[in-house]
Amino acid sequence: MTRKATSKPAAAPLLFSVRDSIAWLTLNRPAAGNAITQPLAQQLISAAEAIELDDSIRLVVLGAAGKSFCVGVEDGGAWERRCRWVAAIGSLSVPVIAAVNGDAIAEGCELALACDLRFLSPRARLQLPQLAHGRLPSQGGTQRLPRIIGRMRALELLLSGRAVEAAEAERIGLATRVLAASSFAADLRRAVAQLAARGPIALRYAKEAVLHGLDLPLDHGIRLEEDLYVLLQTTADRAKGVRAFLQKRRPAFRGD
């Protein structure tokens, strides 16, 4: 009697879980360098929508399986103009951390740029090579990069299309921090846990103040900061923070 061969179900291209108020998104196409397909792009949008509706989530960590973070788009076409998958990640109201443990190239680099913080391993590289192929970055790269590292450096990287190694990325402000290769996952979890221990409403307001304030004149930005400060004083978390400070203990924030 011969047994019929059974094929394993295809692995999900995006892994999404929430643990201890932290949303973990993992690009899961390692054999393809985690290149983005239209279904994966749609899943990123759906995950971002679910995160935005869940008030218990304080932080998002976006990482990838395998040796690459994301090497770009695999099946590019007309759908790219309609599918705003990078913008969905970039517009989240909670802080988003990119865990870049390999190459972030073209649209993969633009995805990392859309995150608020970027933790890199020593073998990570970031690159926007589109001009060498007669294309322009189309997922916000020309706008986010100069806002992060300044106009002159951004132009040089865009025009040359050269890859930026982790050490240089940290030096020019493109990387928040380079973590040791041998303990990348553990160090990442530790850093994320420390951030998640902050007041969740304060985390959202801090991101809003910085990102929106950059597009405002200084006096308007300061007014935005003052408005958010006043709003924060009305929350239960603010009162808990004050009590914990006076009692010399760690506050237990709930986001209310």
Side-chain angles (χ1 to χ4, degrees), residues 31-112:
N34 295 307
I36 304 296
T37 61
Q38 184 175 1
L40 177 51
Q42 294 287 357
Q43 287 188 31
L44 281 167
I45 292 173
S46 297
E49 291 172 347
I51 290 167
E52 200 65 15
L53 292 173
D54 190 341
D55 290 336
S56 71
I57 293 175
R58 303 184 181 192
L59 288 172
V60 177
V61 181
L62 174 61
K67 296 182 178 180
S68 296
F69 176 74
C70 176
V71 297
V73 169
E74 181 176 275
D75 58 351
W79 68 267
E80 289 183 82
R81 294 191 295 274
R82 302 189 302 269
C83 190
R84 296 176 56 79
W85 53 282
V86 173
I89 298 299
S91 62
L92 284 168
S93 59
V94 295
V96 183
I97 296 168
V100 185
N101 195 18
D103 285 348
I105 299 174
E107 291 85 359
C109 181
E110 293 182 271
L111 180 59

Side-chain angles (χ1 to χ4, degrees), residues 183-256:
S183 57
F184 181 81
D187 289 348
L188 175 68
R189 287 194 298 270
R190 190 177 302 110
V192 170
Q194 288 174 349
L195 292 173
R198 307 291 184 263
I201 301 175
L203 283 171
R204 290 173 183 257
Y205 283 0
K207 175 173 178 174
E208 181 178 350
V210 171
L211 295 189
H212 292 179
L214 283 173
D215 296 325
L216 298 172
L218 179 59
D219 58 334
H220 291 190
I222 291 173
R223 193 174 306 158
L224 170 63
E225 178 185 81
E226 291 172 347
D227 290 344
L228 293 172
Y229 177 86
V230 170
L231 284 173
L232 189 60
Q233 304 312 300
T234 67
T235 66
D237 270 0
R238 165 61 178 170
K240 290 174 186 174
V242 172
R243 285 197 300 272
F245 175 77
L246 295 174
Q247 296 169 6
K248 297 181 180 180
R249 60 175 174 80
R250 180 174 295 180
F253 296 115
R254 294 179 53 186
D256 52 5

Side-chain angles (χ1 to χ4, degrees), residues 1-16:
M1 179 177 171
T2 59
R3 283 188 183 176
K4 197 178 283 188
T6 57
S7 58
K8 292 182 179 180
L14 179 69
L15 306 180
F16 176 21

